[in-house]
Amino acid sequence: GFKKGDRVVCTGTREPISLAMAEYAVVEEKTSALLPEGVTPEEGAALASAGLHAMQFVRDAKVKKGDRVLIIGGGGGIGLFILQFVRNAAASFVANTSSYWKQEQLKDFGVDRVIDPGTENWWEIPEFQKNKFDKIFDCGEGYSAWKKCGKVLKSGWKGGLFVSVTLDDNEVHMHNVFPMFG
């Protein structure tokens, strides 16, 4: 359990979204964790949110041993967590698109093939067209990635799955989502 003065971060709640904006809130112990030393409350909240979302995406996609996985725009928070979760699930091959400056970091995280979107189009890579992916997680492009993935993603009948983690127009969608919580 926790004691008075502990620094905690809530990893989820059934309360209205308005609590997410609160400086203080009463939450269930089972949805909270101790905040490690050296981690600010803001960093802890971001890590908890990105990690839980990524875990749910990978779990729902049923990534399994031997899967070939492409993570589009996977150099950010959710993408890095997805990478770690698919590696933990024993995916056999992981490719990731990211800007040039993140490529070495991604290799250190276990990416087999890093694609620089400034020099290569992931949907045009012959290797990917020949050996299609079982799962594609889109963390950065939105609808345009869905339209292009047919060349490199197995058909749904053969287990292919496209998971969109992003929206094309966040401002419009988020504006329309908030009234649902009111």
Side-chain angles (χ1 to χ4, degrees), residues 45-83:
L47 288 171
S49 177
L52 284 172
H53 281 89
M55 181 176 67
Q56 192 65 51
F57 292 134
V58 173
R59 199 180 275 167
D60 287 352
K62 296 179 174 59
V63 175
K64 63 187 181 309
K65 183 177 182 177
D67 277 354
R68 288 177 50 85
V69 177
L70 171 63
I71 306 167
I72 301 167
I78 292 177
L80 289 174
F81 275 109
I82 288 174
L83 169 58

Side-chain angles (χ1 to χ4, degrees), residues 78-93:
I78 292 177
L80 289 174
F81 275 109
I82 288 174
L83 169 58
Q84 293 173 71
F85 288 127
V86 300
R87 275 297 180 207
N88 191 52
S92 67
F93 180 86

